Amino acid sequence: MSRHSFYGLIKIFKIQEVGKRFNKYFPYLFVIGEMIVLTVIFFISIYIAEGRMALEKPYLLLLSIYLAVWPLISYLNRDYKIGRAVSYYNTFKKAFFSVFIFISVISIIWVFSEAQSLERHFLTTLVLLLFLWLTIYRVSVHLVLDKYREFGGNIRYAIILGNDDLGSKLFDTLKKKSHYGIRCLGFYGDQGSNSGTHPYLGSFSDFIKADLDKVDHIYVSERAPKHVLERAIEIGENSLKRVKLLPEFKTEAIKNFVLRRYDAIPVIDVNNLPLDAKVNTFVKRAFDLVFAAIVVVFLLSWMYPLFGLIIKLESKGPILFKQLRHGKGNTPFYCYKFRTMVENSEADFTWASKNDPRVTKFGAFLRRTSLDEFPQFFNVLIGNMSIVGPRPHPLSLNKTYESKVEKYAKRHAYKPGVTGLAQAMGYRGEITDYYQMSSRVRLDRFYLQNWSFVLDVKIIFLTVYALMKGQKLAY
């Protein structure tokens, strides 16, 4: 390897590592920045209304409510998600909407709190300053993020399938609009007339055999052959890459799509899901929080100490069994269960079988009634699981089937669930063969592609009915 290539590889790894850190820490930095702006606005409003820095009890009470409510609204609305090729006007509208929701919630709480004695002049000033300065803050962050992407941070890499005029225009737009943070590596397709001006990566046959690990987005020209588009969609489904169609190429492969515009170039996301929409995510998360809170307060509040005592008396070890499983985007998380076995070193690799000697007597009861799954409502409150979604599998089980079952990775496009469509349709218990897993994955994909709040409610009722019949809930 040449010295130049070696340093080139080091540079790529450094960029990827910085990108990972950015994705991890930016949401927290964004919310912290907003909290600072909110606090400053609050005290400025007090000073304008009172002519002094009054810190009486009603103000402190409202401040505590104020600082507690905003992070929740900001998180649920995913305000930290500042998209690429998004106009500043859209950022302004989103900020305006968040502030409107925030003020509405605070107003309702204010009516029923001790803070009713606060000066109306203070509240009016607070509302006006919030609308003004939070929108300014958001637009400023958007501007800084654009500059950061322009200078090489938070980068996504892309390829274009189709070495034609439409693909060339997109390439030129992405190069010109470097603040989008999308770097196009080049084209796959016919050599064409653009080979001298744009990077040529190979033919369509070369694309099908190419290693695309470093690629995040795949853009498909309308002139690309149908089998190339379908192969691109298949790659996107199997590896969670974004496939985007340069429009007017008609194919039955498109089921869910969103039309976007990069400057004057229209682009279609062909594998969008209903839960990619923020309003749907908000509805689902709000339902998850309410449902999980009810279960924790009214069931787990007495289950945990009672079951914990029995588990401790029956065998040594922790009350909860925690196991790494894949969540949204293949991110591992610890899934919680009541411990049903004696402690052993094979729990992550050898699945429980009928009359398994590792299972305790009380553990067998918990497994038979699915009560061992209830601690997963803690996972729901934490945010790494949902009430309804594809069931999370142990890492070793995923590794066994991800290369065997078609579009297996697509089940990780959203959070896993305490229950799911596959379980509601009767696919429960131990997985022993390819057919059982492929059937579950097919139902999981159907659920994600056809999600609705009504579907979630139906699955919950079917699950409760199955539990009442004594069927095992999940793997």
Side-chain angles (χ1 to χ4, degrees):
M1 179 184 290
S2 69
R3 183 177 179 182
H4 178 75
S5 300
F6 176 77
Y7 285 114
L9 283 174
I10 291 177
K11 184 177 180 182
I12 290 173
F13 288 135
K14 284 184 176 179
I15 290 173
Q16 289 175 339
E17 191 61 33
V18 169
K20 290 178 181 178
R21 291 201 299 268
F22 177 89
N23 292 333
K24 181 178 180 180
Y25 295 116
F26 177 76
Y28 300 105
L29 295 174
F30 180 87
V31 174
I32 289 171
E34 286 193 326
M35 299 295 284
I36 293 172
V37 173
L38 284 167
T39 304
V40 171
I41 290 173
F42 188 90
F43 286 115
I44 289 175
S45 300
I46 293 176
Y47 188 82
I48 292 174
E50 299 283 354
R52 61 187 179 88
M53 196 55 66
L55 294 176
E56 286 84 7
K57 183 179 178 181
Y59 284 114
L60 295 177
L61 175 61
L62 182 61
L63 179 61
S64 62
I65 297 172
Y66 177 90
L67 295 179
V69 171
W70 180 260
L72 181 62
I73 292 175
S74 184
Y75 171 76
L76 292 176
N77 200 36
R78 301 182 75 188
D79 291 333
Y80 57 86
K81 284 283 190 181
I82 300 177
R84 303 164 195 275
V86 173
S87 69
Y88 294 109
Y89 176 66
N90 284 339
T91 298
F92 173 83
K93 287 195 301 182
K94 187 176 179 181
F96 195 91
F97 175 77
S98 294
V99 174
F100 177 79
I101 295 296
F102 178 62
I103 294 299
S104 300
V105 173
I106 290 294
S107 298
I108 293 171
I109 296 174
W110 173 67
V111 170
F112 296 99
S113 72
E114 297 177 17
Q116 292 185 55
S117 59
L118 293 174
E119 287 286 338
R120 293 184 182 274
H121 183 39
F122 159 77
L123 294 172
T124 303
T125 304
L126 179 64
V127 170
L128 292 176
L129 289 179
L130 281 174
F131 276 111
L132 175 63
W133 287 105
L134 267 175
T135 51
I136 290 175
Y137 170 80
R138 291 278 185 86
V139 173
S140 299
V141 171
H142 189 165
L143 178 62
V144 170
L145 185 55
D146 277 353
K147 289 297 180 183
Y148 180 66
R149 288 168 174 167
E150 184 177 348
F151 287 109
N154 192 220
I155 296 299
R156 297 290 181 268
Y157 294 96
I159 58 171
I160 298 174
L161 304 184
N163 193 14
D164 51 47
D165 292 339
L166 190 56
S168 297
K169 288 180 181 178
L170 175 61
F171 182 92
D172 292 337
T173 297
L174 294 178
K175 186 174 182 179
K176 179 182 177 182
K177 305 284 185 178
S178 57
H179 61 274
Y180 289 174
I182 302 174
R183 304 292 186 261
C184 188
L185 302 176
F187 293 80
Y188 283 98
D190 298 328
Q191 186 85 22
S193 58
N194 298 318
S195 58
T197 56
H198 298 104
Y200 180 69
L201 302 176
S203 65
F204 288 130
S205 298
D206 293 326
F207 158 72
I208 291 174
K209 297 179 290 185
D211 180 5
L212 303 177
D213 285 345
K214 302 295 186 295
V215 175
D216 303 294
H217 298 163
I218 302 174
Y219 296 93
V220 186
S221 168
E222 63 176 0
R223 299 183 182 91
K226 181 178 178 180
H227 76 276
V228 173
L229 171 63
E230 292 176 341
R231 174 57 178 162
I233 294 174
E234 181 182 352
I235 291 173
E237 298 278 1
N238 287 332
S239 56
L240 300 180
K241 300 181 187 300
R242 289 291 187 180
V243 179
K244 301 171 184 288
L245 179 67
L246 305 183
E248 295 188 15
F249 188 96
K250 302 183 183 299
T251 174
E252 64 275 6
I254 302 175
K255 294 180 180 179
N256 300 292
F257 66 90
V258 172
L259 178 64
R260 304 182 188 277
R261 190 173 292 275
Y262 292 177
D263 199 15
I265 307 297
V267 176
I268 295 177
D269 288 3
V270 300
N271 57 350
N272 261 52
L273 298 172
L275 286 170
D276 289 333
K278 292 177 181 178
V279 64
N280 291 341
T281 304
F282 177 84
V283 169
K284 188 169 177 62
R285 182 59 181 157
F287 176 75
D288 284 347
L289 289 172
V290 172
F291 194 101
I294 291 172
V295 172
V296 169
V297 170
F298 292 101
L299 295 177
L300 277 171
S301 59
W302 58 266
M303 275 186 184
Y304 191 90
L306 177 61
F307 291 0
L309 178 62
I310 299 174
I311 290 169
K312 283 285 190 180
L313 290 174
E314 193 171 27
S315 63
K316 294 181 179 180
I319 296 172
L320 294 181
F321 169 70
K322 63 178 185 178
Q323 184 180 57
L324 274 177
R325 301 194 175 195
H326 278 137
K328 182 179 179 180
N330 285 323
T331 303
F333 73 98
Y334 280 107
C335 182
Y336 299 117
K337 289 184 167 188
F338 283 121
R339 183 170 59 84
T340 59
M341 294 183 178
V342 294
E343 284 194 291
N344 65 93
S345 59
E346 301 176 349
D348 290 332
F349 309 100
T350 305
W351 324 127
S353 57
K354 190 175 182 180
N355 300 321
D356 194 315
R358 297 173 299 166
V359 178
T360 64
K361 290 182 179 179
F362 187 63
F365 165 75
L366 292 178
R367 284 175 168 270
R368 188 169 59 253
T369 56
S370 292
L371 293 174
D372 60 323
E373 309 285 347
F374 271 63
Q376 286 162 34
F377 287 101
F378 291 131
N379 287 114
V380 176
L381 290 178
I382 293 169
N384 45 35
M385 287 184 70
S386 181
I387 301 297
V388 181
R391 282 292 300 166
H393 296 151
L395 303 189
S396 57
L397 192 66
N398 281 334
K399 188 175 181 180
T400 300
Y401 286 100
E402 62 186 0
S403 60
K404 299 178 181 178
V405 179
E406 183 182 9
K407 301 179 181 179
Y408 185 89
K410 194 64 179 177
R411 68 190 308 276
H412 296 135
Y414 192 69
K415 296 176 186 177
V418 178
T419 186
L421 179 61
Q423 287 66 41
M425 297 300 291
Y427 291 93
R428 306 180 184 91
E430 184 182 2
I431 299 170
T432 57
D433 57 40
Y434 170 84
Y435 173 76
Q436 289 178 324
M437 180 60 84
S438 63
S439 298
R440 295 186 190 205
V441 171
R442 188 166 59 251
L443 288 170
D444 289 337
R445 290 194 347 252
F446 176 88
Y447 168 77
L448 292 172
Q449 291 169 351
N450 298 276
W451 177 88
S452 70
F453 180 72
V454 174
L455 180 58
D456 272 5
V457 173
K458 287 181 178 178
I459 291 172
I460 290 171
F461 275 111
L462 287 172
T463 301
V464 172
Y465 177 71
L467 291 175
M468 292 174 66
K469 290 176 63 178
Q471 297 178 1
K472 172 69 178 168
L473 170 61
Y475 178 78

